[in-house]
Amino acid sequence: QVQLVESGGGLVQAGGSLRLSCTASGNIFSIAVMGWYRQAPGQTRELVATITSGGNINYADSVKGRFTISRDNAKNTVYLQMNSLKPEDTAVYCCQSVVILTGSRRLNQYWAQGTQVTVSS
């Protein structure tokens, strides 16, 4: 019903930058929330940042001032600009969307497969 396609992961040195993007497609009426989560090896998944359709933003304390989330509602796309990357940012980053499908009033949560971000020291 909804597909999320990510791009932009990779390997970068500490202090460097990466930009992730995630585009949602399918039977979408509207997208209430888009966001990024990450999971490092042996760790539980944690929120990185979320943005609502109205532009309300929430960041994890660990990324405030370094990461910027933005959204293009017309393209159903969310971006995560990651600056001043640290080795502890190394993780699989997953895009998440909370979607209202066409013809439905229910909120549905979808996840992308994830993209690896590796920050070398």
Side-chain angles (χ1 to χ4, degrees):
Q1 292 171 316
V2 174
Q3 296 79 41
L4 299 178
V5 178
E6 299 169 323
S7 63
L11 173 65
V12 65
Q13 288 188 329
S17 298
L18 283 174
R19 188 190 194 211
L20 306 181
S21 65
C22 174
T23 299
S25 63
N27 193 26
I28 297 170
F29 176 73
S30 67
I31 303 179
V33 183
M34 300 189 83
W36 294 93
Y37 291 73
R38 67 186 182 186
Q39 187 167 16
Q43 303 293 320
T44 57
R45 184 167 60 195
E46 63 174 358
L47 177 146
V48 177
T50 60
I51 182 168
T52 69
S53 57
N56 292 316
I57 291 173
N58 183 41
Y59 291 108
D61 288 342
S62 59
V63 307
K64 284 180 181 176
R66 300 188 298 122
F67 291 10
T68 302
I69 190 170
S70 61
R71 175 173 171 170
D72 186 333
N73 289 330
K75 295 181 179 180
N76 290 338
T77 298
V78 63
Y79 306 95
L80 185 68
Q81 178 66 44
M82 304 184 292
N83 298 329
S84 302
L85 282 160
K86 305 175 181 180
E88 52 262 44
D89 294 318
T90 295
V92 174
Y93 284 69
C94 292
C95 170
Q96 177 240 34
S97 290
V98 179
V99 175
I100 299 175
L101 301 176
T102 301
S104 171
R105 296 182 180 180
R106 295 180 58 186
L107 295 172
N108 300 274
Q109 181 174 259
Y110 295 93
W111 292 89
Q113 280 193 316
T115 185
Q116 178 69 44
V117 172
T118 303
V119 184
S120 63
S121 58

